[in-house]
Amino acid sequence: MQNNSGLVIVGAGQAGSELALAARQQGWTHPILLLGDEPDLPYQRPPLSKTYLCGKSDFASLALRQAAAYEAACVSLRLGARLKSIHRQNHTIELEDGEHIPYSKLALCTGGRARPWICEGMNPLLPPTNLLTLRTRADADAMRAALRAGTRLVVVGGGYVGLEVAASARTLGVHVTVLEAQPRVLARVAGQPLSDFITNAHRAAGVDVKTGAEIHRVVCENNSIVRVELVDGNAVPADVVVAGIGMLPNTEAAIAAGLATNEGIPVDELSATADPDIVAAGDCTFQHIALYDQHMRLESVPNALEQARSAAAWICGQAKPNQAVPWFWSDQYDLKLQLVGLSQGHDRCVVRGQPEQRSFCLFYLRGNRILAADAVNRPADFMQVRRALGSPHAIHVDPEALADESVPLKVTLAPQV
Ligand SMILES: Cc1cc2nc3c(=O)[nH]c(=O)nc-3n(C[C@H](O)[C@H](O)[C@H](O)COP(=O)(O)OP(=O)(O)OC[C@H]3O[C@@H](n4cnc5c(N)ncnc54)[C@H](O)[C@@H]3O)c2cc1C
């Protein structure tokens, strides 16, 4: 048994790396062990579908911190090590290689994995060799190697990751078809005007976006998908298929320890779990968003960072609740999308600016209250609305003024007294 009864952080990703350094900064004086099953130093995932996939950034530039930063903070890194189980009664974790490690505090930051796609025509025991998903550096390297100019790529799923892969693949000269079963892309997360705009942007870039495209089956030869057949009778030939249908939280050990469900590890706004000595942060958690009174998983870098900082504080005996407004970004072609708030329950969408000029905001309102906003190539507007949504007062606006660019956004968003 290793002699380390301090803070053990499982999952050396965005949340785990932040939590380790934040715990040290916030006064944790005992040992910190950050362990993860990937072989690399903790790195940023967002570029995997963007600059890294199209060869515009190298892997070294993705590192969240250099090894020296962990050394300087006395954080021991253990890479290539996988958690198998948590033994809460005796405060130990067990690794897959059988080693037991004691902890006084445990942080679970195990993220998620790509949701597997299974369809008629595939052998579930032997997934097709050209069916790819994207979560890790290894996935991105495999995708990069498979995407050459002229390759025919079929992307299953018109969510953010699928659309980013489509955009990056187009810049590599790949022929891309996106198959989205819903009537529009980003149906779960964006309003109709943004879905329409993004669809048009992809079509203008040469992507064949098929919405309402229900897949009937795939046809395989030599365990490779050669064709995707749709319910409407159309078929799309394929050299490579990417499934971008969301993620599953890595919660098996937490479920076995009685700390989680299939939806994630429930945490409060301090990142505390049901066990007083265990916190959790990032994509593996399931939380209540007080501002919107909704329970959900937030799969984003800003959320991983905020939860990690709250968890670090809680471990150090301080209550620093995470009350940040959820936000997210996506880069596709020359488009910088920034999204803030949760739009569920909106009854009106207000557009400010001109989608045809590739610069506009979309506001989601319930009555006169702004719930959320999407900004396309409008970072200054995004910052203003993010600040406004983060203020303690609900933001009520005149929808006409919101759409009117001659009225400064700052004036429209000012709290009404
Ligand atoms: C392709 C892609 C693009 C994205 N783009 C954006 C974006 O533009 N904007 C944005 O905000 N977010 C984006 N995200 C989401 C963002 O990357 C995640 O929300 C963030 O990485 C979550 O951090 P995390 O620490 O919870 O999980 P991760 O960063 O996934 O880290 C979890 C780590 O735990 C490890 N692990 C899992 N199980 C075990 C175990 N049993 N034992 C040991 N280690 C384990 C995993 O291998 C992983 O290394 C993107 C994600 C992907 C995949």
Side-chain angles (χ1 to χ4, degrees):
M1 192 184 286
Q2 186 178 313
N3 181 17
N4 183 322
S5 61
L7 166 61
V8 175
I9 303 168
V10 182
Q14 193 87 47
S17 169
E18 184 69 17
L19 205 162
L21 278 285
R24 197 55 94 207
Q25 277 160 11
Q26 298 192 41
W28 181 263
T29 52
H30 307 292
I32 300 178
L33 173 66
L34 172 58
L35 78 84
D37 59 357
E38 290 188 80
D40 299 296
L41 280 177
Y43 60 90
Q44 310 167 56
R45 277 172 220 284
L48 296 181
S49 50
K50 308 178 183 79
T51 51
Y52 186 68
L53 188 58
C54 44
K56 289 185 190 150
S57 58
D58 61 4
F59 186 69
S61 69
L62 271 49
L64 287 164
R65 296 173 173 88
Q66 302 306 312
Y70 299 101
E71 272 168 41
C74 294
V75 171
S76 309
L77 264 177
R78 176 117 176 239
L79 302 172
R82 190 167 168 75
L83 168 77
K84 186 173 148 207
S85 50
I86 303 163
H87 304 288
R88 288 166 59 191
Q89 276 94 342
N90 56 6
H91 277 65
T92 58
I93 58 165
E94 184 178 349
L95 303 186
E96 287 221 314
D97 65 7
E99 186 184 347
H100 288 248
I101 299 177
Y103 64 83
S104 57
K105 298 282 180 191
L106 176 66
L108 298 173
C109 303
T110 46
R113 56 186 180 278
R115 185 185 287 273
W117 180 57
I118 299 174
C119 166
E120 195 184 321
M122 284 179 207
N123 176 350
L125 300 177
L126 198 63
T129 50
N130 62 345
L131 173 59
L132 307 178
T133 53
L134 183 54
R135 180 75 197 180
T136 63
R137 177 211 184 160
D139 296 338
D141 288 342
M143 207 172 278
R144 245 170 107 163
L147 297 180
R148 308 248 166 252
T151 301
R152 294 164 307 173
L153 166 67
V154 175
V155 178
V156 177
Y160 281 111
V161 170
L163 292 171
E164 288 177 358
V165 168
S168 298
R170 277 307 294 146
T171 67
L172 295 169
V174 171
H175 300 296
V176 185
T177 304
V178 172
L179 300 178
E180 169 54 59
Q182 297 293 318
R184 58 188 179 92
V185 300
L186 301 176
R188 236 175 11 99
V189 288
Q192 181 88 44
L194 187 66
S195 298
D196 293 345
F197 172 79
I198 292 291
T199 300
N200 291 339
H202 277 274
R203 288 188 176 145
V207 176
D208 184 3
V209 181
K210 294 185 193 298
T211 51
E214 270 186 67
I215 296 172
H216 169 48
R217 62 168 191 163
V218 296
V219 176
C220 292
E221 285 173 14
N222 300 321
N223 202 35
S224 255
I225 299 172
V226 293
R227 201 164 63 244
V228 180
E229 293 185 350
L230 305 181
V231 169
D232 66 9
N234 285 314
V236 187
D239 301 310
V240 178
V241 177
V242 168
I245 56 167
M247 62 145 255
L248 298 175
N250 291 323
T251 48
E252 286 71 13
I255 289 174
L259 288 170
T261 67
N262 286 335
E263 306 216 72
I265 305 170
V267 290
D268 63 15
E269 53 189 8
L270 302 170
S271 300
T273 69
D275 184 317
D277 291 324
I278 303 182
V279 292
D283 285 8
C284 63
T285 66
F286 188 73
Q287 58 181 310
H288 178 239
I289 317 285
L291 191 58
Y292 295 90
D293 194 18
Q294 285 186 46
H295 287 88
M296 61 194 317
R297 264 198 328 268
L298 282 178
E299 298 157 14
S300 75
V301 167
N303 174 64
L305 297 177
E306 294 290 349
Q307 283 190 310
R309 290 168 195 149
S310 295
W314 187 234
I315 283 166
C316 295
Q318 303 150 35
K320 290 193 184 162
N322 165 24
Q323 287 160 343
V325 186
W327 71 277
F328 185 79
W329 79 92
S330 173
D331 300 323
Q332 299 169 37
Y333 312 107
D334 61 335
L335 304 171
K336 177 136 209 89
L337 278 73
Q338 293 168 296
L339 322 145
V340 60
L342 302 176
S343 61
Q344 282 91 342
H346 72 275
D347 51 30
R348 181 168 184 175
C349 264
V350 173
V351 183
R352 181 183 174 91
Q354 291 78 36
E356 55 285 3
Q357 286 172 14
R358 297 168 90 78
S359 166
F360 65 101
C361 285
L362 190 60
F363 293 89
Y364 300 88
L365 274 62
R366 184 162 59 222
N368 284 355
R369 180 187 165 192
I370 300 183
L371 296 180
D374 301 337
V376 176
N377 290 339
R378 292 238 170 165
D381 286 359
F382 171 76
M383 284 312 294
Q384 287 194 45
V385 67
R386 189 179 145 203
R387 210 174 300 126
L389 284 174
S391 77
H393 319 280
I395 303 296
H396 294 278
V397 290
D398 169 5
E400 308 293 318
L402 197 56
D404 182 353
E405 291 229 76
S406 69
V407 182
L409 190 55
K410 199 161 59 178
V411 173
T412 311
L413 295 179
Q416 287 159 14
V417 278

